[in-house]
Amino acid sequence: MPGGARNERRLAQFEEQRARLWGVAYRIMGTVSDAEDAVQEAWLRWQALPDEPPIASPRGFLTTVVSRICYDLLGSARARRELYVGPWLPEPLLDGGGAPGGALGVGAISGAPGDPQDRVTLDESVGMALLTVLERLTPAERTAFVLHDVFAVPFPEIADAVGRTPDAVRQLASRARKRVRAEAPRRTVDPTEHRRTVEAFLGAVTGGDFAALLETLDPEVVWRSDGGGKVSAARRPVLGRDKVARYVWGLLTRNFDAATMRIAVREVNGATGVVFTDLTGEYPAGVLAFTVHDGRITEVDAVINPEKLGHLELGE
């Protein structure tokens, strides 16, 4: 086959899988930059493959390649995150953006085999709260969980990605699943309830109604702030309704100026969240992701580290 035609065919095959590959990489790594690097490296390896023997399943082959790249990257990434200043949170995505083809990189994922009860939904799998739980898994557990429970990749293919036997991978996925079930926060599956609760929180904050703010918070609510040592942020999670409300109230009284602060309801990692920016640049921008259960907020993940927001269009 002439070189030009070969390259076009290879590119077309890769582009058909790009959204899936990005979705796998983002869920394993938790960062946009690492996901993009992994997909680019997978493309270079795909492009360099000889024509013979032909690849029977580009989808399976590329999924294994990008997973192996992420698995290798995750070991060093975890070491860096252990030295991180304050809580480490995933890099947020807004309005389905940041992924090839939109939709948070979940395109071309259908007809997945396996027991649906052993898999989380694609929307849930990209949520900030679950991604934060995945940070507590080992690289092998996280890779096995994402590939099997989210993307329904067969265990033999996962074994190729992490260098284990299929039986060992099955145990990894099972162990990861039990931990996720035990540690994942309670959450509503009703997007209308979620949005209504977030809007009630925002209304109480901007309206200066402390009592209403308390009503939006679960008694055991957790607030995590990721400033990365770049901007001022709580270096430990804030726990409990009263402490979170007073923390938010303190931020509001110190930093909020209605004339310069812009606050918008946006989709953050597949669910209603909040973006705030300061027109003067005096205060940091930020993205808030919420977990809601029974009409109250159970978790807030606040990303204000500017290095984690550079890929976003916050002003739109």
Side-chain angles (χ1 to χ4, degrees), residues 22 26 29-36 81 84 88-94 97-98 104 126-128 131-132 135 142 226 268-269 287 289 303 305-312:
W22 198 96
Y26 177 74
M29 298 304 302
T31 62
V32 171
S33 56
D34 285 335
E36 291 174 347
R81 292 170 192 179
Y84 197 78
W88 188 96
L89 294 175
E91 292 182 0
L93 304 175
L94 295 181
L104 302 176
V126 82
M128 292 284 282
L131 289 175
T132 300
E135 281 295 308
R142 182 169 184 165
D226 181 344
V268 178
N269 284 60
V287 174
V303 182
N305 181 348
E307 293 183 353
K308 291 189 174 183
L309 303 177
H311 63 285
L312 301 175

Side-chain angles (χ1 to χ4, degrees), residues 1 28 34 66 83 106 151 153 157 173 177 189 199 225 316:
M1 178 181 295
I28 294 177
D34 285 335
V66 82
L83 302 175
V106 301
F151 291 89
V153 176
E157 293 182 26
R177 186 180 312 120
V189 296
E199 289 178 340
S225 301
E316 294 183 355

Side-chain angles (χ1 to χ4, degrees), residues 18 26 68 85 89 99 129 208 210 221 238-239 241 262 273 285 303:
R18 182 183 288 273
Y26 177 74
R68 181 69 200 189
V85 178
L89 294 175
F210 187 80
V221 62
V238 183
L239 309 177
R241 173 190 287 162
R262 295 291 181 265
V303 182

Side-chain angles (χ1 to χ4, degrees), residues 207-224:
D209 190 335
F210 187 80
L213 173 61
L214 283 171
E215 282 299 309
T216 68
L217 302 176
D218 184 84
E220 299 180 359
V221 62
V222 178
W223 179 292
R224 288 181 288 262

